Amino acid sequence: MRKQSFNNGWELDGGGNSLMARLSGQGAENVKVQIPHDAMIHETPCESAKSGGQTGFYPGGEYTYVKNFEAPADWAGKEVTLEFGGVYQVARVYINGDFVTSSLHGYGGFDAKIDKYLVFGQTNEVRVVVNNPAPNSRWYSGSGIYRGVNLIVGGPVHIAKDGIRITTKEASEEISVVEVETKICNLTRGLHHLTLKTRFCEAGTDTVAAEDSVVLSIYSEETETMRQNIDIAGAKLWDCEDPNLYDVYVELYEGGEKIDDEVIRTGIRILALDGKRGLRLNGKQVKQRGTCIHHDNGIIGAATFAAAEDKRAREIRAAGFNAIRSAHHPMSMEMLNACDKYGILVMDELSDMWNEQKNRNDFSLYFDRCWEEEVEKMVAKDYNHPCVILYSSGNEILDLGRKTGGRLNRRICNKFHALDSTRYTTTACNGLIGASVSGVMPMIIGDILQQRGIDPSALMGGGNAAESADTGVGAANMMMGLMNDDAFCAHPLMTQALEEAAQASDVAGFNYLTGRHVLEGTLHPNKPVLGTETYPADIVRLWRIVEENDHVLGDYTWTGYDYLGEAGCGIFYYDGTVNFSSHFPDRIAYCGDINILGYRRPISYLREIVFGERRDPYIGVIRVNRYGLEHSQTAWMFKDNVSSWTWPGYEGRKTEVDIYSPDEEVELFLNGKSLGRRPCGRDNGFTATYEVAYEPGELTAVGYQDGKETGKYTLKTAGSEVILNAAADRNVIDAGCGDLAFVTLRLTDAAGIENLFAEKTVTVTIDGPGVLQGFGSAQPQPVRSYDDPTWETYDGEVMAAVRSTDEAGTITVRFHAEGCEDAVVVIESR
């Protein structure tokens, strides 16, 4: 099948709505857009948005995309398909006014077979109508055709779409055996004699590792499945440390002429799992150092560009993670490719809800009629990606508090197994929801409070999580923050509430229930356990449990990378505002180890140290201007600290300084003077804390193990002159395919020392064959649009996402701020 991008030449027909007026300046005019296109990110957040802080106050609505294209005469008799990577939320596709198909799952890719509706040799119109009615999501969803579109043309005899499945049967240093299953379609009325050739090459090279050839005869209007078992001597296996990949070339010949071909990039690896030895990759135990992530890419919204997904995966891997849970939806193909590349394990997730709603217009309206199809599409998407190890049937599903939920979970997990016997299943079970829906929550809480001499009636109200699903998400999240208690997690009634739901899958997955991980090893010694979602600040305690128990497979924190929506989850309010109160203009969750621009907050370095992935110490400083002030707090918050020693105007003001280190002892120096040695390392939470009066100069942390210095980390005060310092993550990008470069502007002094305290209003301009895809800072409560070319810095940074156009050439990105010399970055588009 011939696949080509179908992303150019679209128009957004908005009928004069406010979005159109914003994009076109005219209102009634159609606007040319580049796919992937997140319409929501271009809207204006408003306090009256029906989804409130769940989506960062973006409203959503209905959108119509139109494209005219030529259907050549030689397409007659061929199979023509439009492949949509993702359209949010409900989509309907029309060709020349005729309805073709619809999609009910905003995160599930889908195909529209359009050949029967085309007029060959003429111009045809495709129209995609997208409806995103609020409220339907607990986080920022985006709107429209936010993932890429491909046009696929299959000849009279061709390899079927998603028709190649590559399975590692045996993996060893001596020889690996890989099965290649290929489906071949004959659309004609005749008999065809074919040869199928398959070869493995090391990715990006012509080095042939192994090859095979088979012949077949295929009768009229039939589909044949061919299987080739290919032996690869000395194969380079895929794992987290050495993510070796192969390009598999599958070619179909008739009479010596190649009539179709496809290239699949994959890896050779084999999985094993049990309750005694945990998860093994190629025979070696691996613990999942995981993070949950949503699908948005910060300043560009939900638009799914390969370069954006690659950037996020690269930064997550560099922070010490080796696993990602796609929360709470199927992962994009672009992110799967990035995880294959960087050696990141993936838990791919089906949905955030089944038949019981969390929001009035969410996917629960359609789940019962399409979940099987969505599972099929998810497996087809994931199958050839070595990074995928787990399928999650769902997240914090309200249905699981009922017996019918347990039955449905078994059916979903069995469906996954029927389609893919090489991977494992889990379900992210939430104790609060399970206990509430099943009705045992009052008894559990009552028992715990009474044991502690507290009157239960003072803290417990009526209702439950299911009844308040549409309006009480914030209250439920606040309640969850109170549930980080071993007595709650391990209560016998909690076991009763979770038993059937958790046992339906291969791995018992628990959200915020670290206190039952060890218990589960006793109750169910044959069943591995996984922390599918955990509090970020709980990493020291929970990782010790992971390390000391083979049946505990790992941990997925909420969250390793910040995101839009669920606004205010981790914002430090100093004015009495309560978190989860849908406080406008909150836009960002602000609970990620890494912020939306890619800046690693101090907790990220603590986590890396806990994981054993960093030896040198690190310093976190409570913002001196806020130290000692009362602030809001949730279980998803760590400390309002940064790694900076530049606080002009606060000389003599005390603050809290943390040293994070794996060493048994650390020492803090201020301008060469020792502030004392303190115990650190594992037994002290990898943290030593000092109260220090701010004094400009140098703050240095030194680590000691067995009395010997092992490493140091120094913060320096930036000079008073503020310099604009800009750099791109990539200085060469591809023209013609919507490639991206992310250019970060940092405030520094002349010596390059970062100044997180200074603030500048920065304007970006772009010259040459590039456009501004998005611009902004990590400010969690912004008042500007990411379309705005002018932004204020936050923690000394802003970032521009620059997209290539069809033309090649030099792109010049210029940043300007009053009182500073412009910063210029040059990007080559080729």
Side-chain angles (χ1 to χ4, degrees):
M1 304 187 84
R2 301 296 184 227
K3 179 184 290 191
Q4 64 187 66
S5 172
F6 203 64
N7 289 334
N8 293 330
W10 290 84
E11 292 186 344
L12 182 60
D13 176 5
N17 63 27
S18 60
L19 171 64
M20 302 306 300
R22 180 182 186 85
L23 293 179
S24 70
Q26 300 176 19
E29 296 283 340
N30 289 2
V31 175
K32 294 185 182 300
V33 295
Q34 167 84 26
I35 305 299
H37 179 261
D38 174 11
M40 180 179 275
I41 202 67
H42 303 293
E43 296 170 346
T44 302
C46 57
E47 192 168 4
S48 61
K50 293 181 179 179
S51 294
Q54 292 185 102
T55 59
F57 295 95
Y58 285 94
E62 185 168 295
Y63 319 84
T64 301
Y65 294 82
V66 179
K67 175 172 177 169
N68 293 308
F69 65 101
E70 297 296 319
D74 65 4
W75 282 6
K78 298 181 179 180
E79 186 176 274
V80 184
T81 303
L82 287 179
E83 177 187 64
F84 292 87
V87 182
Y88 199 87
Q89 185 203 23
V90 176
R92 291 165 288 159
V93 180
Y94 301 83
I95 296 290
N96 300 322
D98 293 322
F99 174 76
V100 178
T101 191
S102 63
S103 171
L104 301 177
H105 188 13
Y107 297 106
F110 67 97
D111 296 337
K113 292 187 176 182
I114 63 174
D115 43 272
K116 69 175 67 175
Y117 304 98
L118 296 173
V119 181
F120 300 109
Q122 296 185 29
T123 299
N124 292 257
E125 179 195 78
V126 56
R127 180 178 293 265
V128 181
V129 180
V130 186
N131 190 23
N132 184 11
N136 65 58
S137 178
R138 296 191 300 115
W139 59 88
Y140 178 88
S141 63
S143 293
I145 309 177
Y146 68 98
R147 290 178 180 166
V149 183
N150 291 309
L151 175 70
I152 302 173
V153 180
V157 179
H158 63 266
I159 298 169
K161 184 180 182 300
D162 298 324
I164 300 173
R165 286 166 53 113
I166 301 171
T167 307
T168 302
K169 295 293 187 179
E170 180 181 343
S172 69
E173 294 180 356
E174 294 76 30
I175 192 166
S176 296
V177 181
V178 182
E179 179 188 82
V180 181
E181 175 188 309
T182 307
K183 284 187 169 60
I184 301 168
C185 299
N186 179 7
L187 303 180
T188 75
R189 301 281 298 174
L191 172 66
H192 293 264
H193 302 287
L194 309 173
T195 300
L196 182 68
K197 297 182 179 180
T198 301
R199 69 181 185 277
F200 280 71
C201 294
E202 294 180 18
T205 76
D206 295 325
T207 305
V208 178
E211 55 189 338
D212 189 66
S213 177
V214 293
V215 298
L216 69 147
S217 297
I218 184 168
Y219 288 84
S220 65
E221 300 179 331
E222 289 189 352
T223 297
E224 288 282 352
T225 299
M226 304 299 295
R227 286 185 172 85
Q228 298 166 277
N229 283 299
I230 300 177
D231 302 337
I232 305 175
K236 296 180 179 179
L237 304 185
W238 185 96
D239 61 26
C240 296
E241 304 309 319
D242 295 296
N244 299 300
L245 295 171
Y246 286 86
D247 291 329
V248 183
Y249 294 84
V250 181
E251 301 170 336
L252 192 62
Y253 291 84
E254 184 171 25
E257 178 186 355
K258 184 163 65 176
I259 61 173
D260 201 5
D261 66 339
E262 191 166 347
V263 182
I264 302 292
R265 180 160 288 186
T266 191
I268 299 171
R269 61 103 180 99
I270 201 158
L271 300 172
L273 177 74
D274 62 54
K276 303 295 186 297
R277 295 168 294 177
L279 176 71
R280 298 181 307 288
L281 177 61
N282 303 326
K284 299 177 182 178
Q285 187 186 74
V286 58
K287 295 287 190 176
Q288 295 164 59
R289 306 190 303 269
T291 175
C292 306
I293 61 168
H294 281 318
H295 69 306
D296 74 83
N297 279 293
I299 61 173
I300 65 171
T304 305
F305 291 87
E309 299 288 59
D310 187 275
K311 172 182 179 291
R312 197 155 48 124
R314 182 174 69 244
E315 291 167 344
I316 286 170
R317 191 70 178 92
F321 294 106
N322 70 355
I324 288 175
R325 172 188 176 211
S326 184
H328 308 287
H329 43 69
M331 182 177 279
S332 72
M333 186 66 76
E334 291 80 1
M335 181 57 88
L336 288 172
N337 290 337
C339 290
D340 285 344
K341 175 181 176 181
Y342 293 112
I344 301 173
L345 306 173
V346 169
M347 179 200 306
D348 210 1
E349 194 153 71
L350 179 62
S351 181
D352 190 46
M353 70 290 295
W354 294 347
N355 297 314
E356 295 195 39
Q357 67 180 23
K358 294 181 179 177
N359 272 289
R360 188 162 50 248
N361 297 310
D362 65 22
F363 184 48
S364 67
L365 296 172
Y366 317 111
F367 186 83
D368 67 316
R369 69 188 75 171
C370 66
W371 71 261
E372 291 191 82
E373 180 185 0
E374 295 304 326
V375 169
E376 291 167 2
K377 292 188 297 185
M378 185 169 154
V379 172
K381 169 179 65 71
D382 291 358
Y383 194 88
N384 293 325
H385 289 277
C387 63
V388 180
I389 60 170
L390 283 164
Y391 297 118
S392 170
S393 60
N395 172 67
E396 299 180 348
I397 300 298
L398 298 177
D399 311 51
L400 289 177
R402 310 183 194 284
K403 297 301 181 185
T404 52
R407 177 183 65 180
L408 181 53
N409 199 25
R410 286 191 295 275
R411 292 177 178 177
I412 295 173
C413 291
N414 287 339
K415 179 73 172 180
F416 275 117
H417 279 298
L419 297 167
D420 184 354
S421 62
T422 70
R423 293 178 172 90
Y424 304 102
T425 59
T426 190
T427 308
C429 298
N430 179 287
L432 172 64
I433 290 175
S436 295
V437 176
S438 64
V440 301
M441 176 63 82
M443 291 176 280
I444 295 176
I445 299 298
D447 283 352
I448 295 171
L449 294 178
Q450 285 183 350
Q451 290 171 12
R452 296 175 185 179
I454 302 172
D455 181 5
S457 64
L459 295 177
M460 296 171 58
N464 59 44
E467 293 169 349
S468 60
D470 192 36
T471 59
V473 174
N477 282 331
M478 290 181 67
M479 186 66 173
M480 284 177 62
L482 300 174
M483 296 297 104
N484 192 23
D485 189 301
D486 287 356
F488 171 78
C489 297
H491 196 283
L493 291 177
M494 180 60 68
T495 299
Q496 173 186 311
L498 295 173
E499 190 79 350
E500 188 166 0
Q503 297 309 307
S505 58
D506 300 309
V507 177
F510 295 120
N511 287 12
Y512 308 107
L513 290 171
T514 303
R516 48 176 315 110
H517 290 183
V518 174
L519 172 65
E520 283 289 324
T522 301
L523 296 177
H524 304 289
N526 299 310
K527 175 82 68 174
V529 172
L530 184 60
T532 42
E533 190 170 317
T534 59
Y535 297 117
D538 202 23
I539 180 60
V540 173
R541 178 178 77 104
L542 64 85
W543 195 249
R544 189 163 192 162
I545 293 172
V546 172
E547 289 181 319
E548 294 177 351
N549 294 273
D550 287 332
H551 75 283
V552 182
L553 305 183
D555 164 74
Y556 288 79
T557 189
W558 195 273
T559 177
Y561 211 102
D562 220 342
Y563 57 97
L564 305 178
E566 286 190 302
C569 172
I571 293 178
F572 289 84
Y573 297 109
Y574 290 87
D575 60 358
T577 300
V578 178
N579 297 86
F580 298 114
S581 60
S582 204
H583 180 258
F584 185 80
D586 294 355
R587 189 180 301 177
I588 295 174
Y590 204 67
C591 60
D593 284 16
I594 306 170
N595 74 17
I596 66 167
L597 303 190
Y599 171 81
R600 292 179 62 185
R601 298 162 77 183
I603 189 175
S604 173
Y605 292 91
L606 170 61
R607 191 180 309 278
E608 187 182 14
I609 287 167
V610 174
F611 284 156
E613 296 296 300
R614 178 185 173 91
R615 282 297 312 163
D616 289 337
Y618 192 79
I619 296 175
V621 179
I622 297 289
R623 299 175 192 271
V624 181
N625 55 327
R626 296 177 181 173
Y627 180 62
L629 301 178
E630 290 188 8
H631 58 76
S632 62
Q633 187 72 43
T634 74
W636 290 269
M637 298 161 69
F638 180 56
K639 295 183 178 182
D640 193 6
N641 62 358
V642 293
S643 193
S644 175
W645 197 240
T646 302
W647 305 96
Y650 290 90
E651 290 76 9
R653 181 89 165 261
K654 290 185 177 181
T655 190
E656 183 178 284
V657 175
D658 282 347
I659 298 178
Y660 308 124
S661 173
D663 294 317
E664 62 188 7
E665 191 176 38
V666 295
E667 188 172 11
L668 185 65
F669 292 86
L670 178 58
N671 293 326
K673 179 182 178 181
S674 175
L675 302 184
R677 291 194 182 192
R678 297 196 178 170
C680 199
R682 185 181 186 188
D683 291 339
N684 294 280
F686 299 93
T687 303
T689 301
Y690 298 74
E691 188 175 57
V692 182
Y694 174 63
E695 175 185 307
E698 291 189 4
L699 190 67
T700 299
V702 179
Y704 302 94
Q705 189 68 30
D706 299 323
K708 297 180 180 179
E709 181 179 322
T710 59
K712 63 174 58 178
Y713 178 81
T714 298
L715 293 175
K716 296 181 179 181
T717 302
S720 58
E721 183 183 9
V722 176
I723 305 294
L724 304 185
N725 198 325
D729 70 330
R730 303 163 66 217
N731 289 100
V732 178
I733 60 177
D734 294 330
C737 64
D739 201 2
L740 295 180
F742 290 88
V743 187
T744 303
L745 183 284
R746 294 183 175 90
L747 304 183
T748 71
D749 66 6
I753 299 171
E754 294 183 10
N755 188 336
L756 277 62
F757 187 82
E759 294 181 2
K760 289 288 182 180
T761 299
V762 181
T763 298
V764 63
T765 57
I766 297 175
D767 293 319
V771 296
L772 188 65
Q773 182 67 30
F775 182 55
S777 76
Q779 163 64 257
Q781 301 169 292
V783 294
R784 294 187 183 272
S785 165
Y786 298 120
D787 292 326
D788 195 332
T790 299
W791 267 75
E792 291 71 32
T793 58
Y794 181 79
D795 281 345
E797 291 186 341
V798 287
M799 176 182 284
V802 179
R803 193 186 81 224
S804 62
T805 65
D806 290 337
E807 298 179 15
T810 299
I811 303 170
T812 302
V813 185
R814 182 178 298 273
F815 297 93
H816 173 78
E818 187 175 344
C820 299
E821 183 178 338
D822 289 359
V824 177
V825 172
V826 174
I827 300 167
E828 294 298 327
S829 179
R830 299 174 181 172

